[in-house]
Amino acid sequence: MTIKVSISETVTAEQRIDPAFIKLHKESEAFLNSTAFTARYRRKLSLHEGAHAYYARRANAINIKYRGPMMTWHAKLDCPFIVRASVDYTLPVTVTPIEAIKVCIAGFVLPEYYGTPNEPISIEGDMDRAKRWFAELVGGTKEEFETEFLNAKAEILAEILIPSVQEGIVAEMTRFLSEVFPVPVPPAPSRVKLTSAVLRARRMGWMA
């Protein structure tokens, strides 16, 4: 199956024809369809997105949907950017600050715990979302956010030791891989009609 990289609707017509955007788009598709995009790399992506989704479900989010690779234009850096995978969700109005923060940061806390830390730019994006949620729900100070962030991280690290939590995250990882990066099933081998000639060839070692 050929993996295609979509383009975000937020990318302008001018940005789409930017040479750097076109180059990154082509290079990203080439990478995702090469042997460099290994099963280990896919599992790393699945842990990041699966952790987000697991905590979103625990917070009673709706409209949870995994997304494949997408080209965007990074607002802060003002340059083309590839999002290799993502997960959409809608948190309820009743979500608590610590629940919202856990949804946002689980995607980098768990990979860090398992020794496969995310890239700094990915961590920064997750932290920015956590800060926005905290500001919307609480409107507290930087110090108050830092305290809530540390509490949320400590809860995640404690919960990952619970077997049912591990199973839930693995289920999300499996769901992510099946929906976004499914492994193609090889076609069944064709059956060889066992004629006398075929049987004779097998005895002579000419055929398997």
Side-chain angles (χ1 to χ4, degrees), residues 104-184:
C104 296
I105 71 172
F108 70 81
V109 170
L110 290 184
E112 185 179 84
Y113 172 80
Y114 284 112
T116 55
N118 291 155
E119 298 169 355
I121 195 167
S122 176
I123 295 173
E124 182 184 4
D126 287 347
M127 284 295 289
D128 284 346
R129 279 185 286 277
K131 290 173 183 176
R132 286 197 298 270
W133 269 107
F134 187 76
E136 181 178 329
L137 295 170
V138 179
T141 64
K142 181 180 178 182
E143 291 73 23
E144 288 172 329
F145 168 78
E146 186 66 21
T147 298
E148 198 76 343
F149 162 71
L150 292 174
N151 289 337
K153 183 176 181 180
E155 285 192 11
I156 292 172
L157 292 176
E159 290 164 350
I160 192 55
L161 302 177
I162 303 171
S164 61
V165 173
Q166 296 171 4
E167 291 168 5
I169 291 170
V170 169
E172 288 296 343
M173 292 171 65
T174 303
R175 186 177 294 113
F176 167 84
L177 290 171
S178 67
E179 293 181 10
V180 180
F181 297 122
V183 177

Side-chain angles (χ1 to χ4, degrees), residues 7-190:
I7 299 177
S8 170
E9 294 178 355
T10 62
V11 179
T12 67
E14 183 180 1
Q15 291 167 343
R16 287 171 183 250
I17 62 173
D18 183 285
F21 184 92
I22 295 171
K23 182 173 183 289
L24 181 59
H25 192 186
K26 288 182 178 179
E27 289 177 347
S28 297
E29 283 199 341
F31 168 75
L32 292 169
N33 288 285
S34 73
T35 54
F37 189 48
T38 60
R40 185 166 183 260
Y41 197 112
R42 295 177 193 225
R43 285 195 299 273
K44 183 177 178 179
L45 289 176
S46 74
L47 176 58
H48 179 94
E49 305 305 339
H52 283 312
Y54 174 77
Y55 277 95
R57 291 189 198 280
R58 281 188 50 163
N60 296 315
I62 60 173
N63 303 323
I64 299 173
K65 182 173 177 58
Y66 290 116
R67 302 286 183 185
M70 178 181 291
M71 286 293 299
T72 66
W73 194 272
H74 200 287
K76 275 189 177 180
L77 302 177
D78 190 26
C79 67
F81 185 70
I82 174 69
V83 177
R84 293 200 172 98
S86 61
V87 58
D88 294 340
Y89 50 82
T90 303
L91 291 176
V93 294
T94 55
V95 70
T96 65
I98 199 165
E99 284 176 330
I101 292 174
K102 286 165 74 172
V103 173
C104 296
I105 71 172
F108 70 81
V109 170
L110 290 184
E112 185 179 84
Y113 172 80
Y114 284 112
T116 55
N118 291 155
E119 298 169 355
I121 195 167
S122 176
I123 295 173
E124 182 184 4
D126 287 347
M127 284 295 289
D128 284 346
R129 279 185 286 277
K131 290 173 183 176
R132 286 197 298 270
W133 269 107
F134 187 76
E136 181 178 329
L137 295 170
V138 179
T141 64
K142 181 180 178 182
E143 291 73 23
E144 288 172 329
F145 168 78
E146 186 66 21
T147 298
E148 198 76 343
F149 162 71
L150 292 174
N151 289 337
K153 183 176 181 180
E155 285 192 11
I156 292 172
L157 292 176
E159 290 164 350
I160 192 55
L161 302 177
I162 303 171
S164 61
V165 173
Q166 296 171 4
E167 291 168 5
I169 291 170
V170 169
E172 288 296 343
M173 292 171 65
T174 303
R175 186 177 294 113
F176 167 84
L177 290 171
S178 67
E179 293 181 10
V180 180
F181 297 122
V183 177
V185 178
S190 58

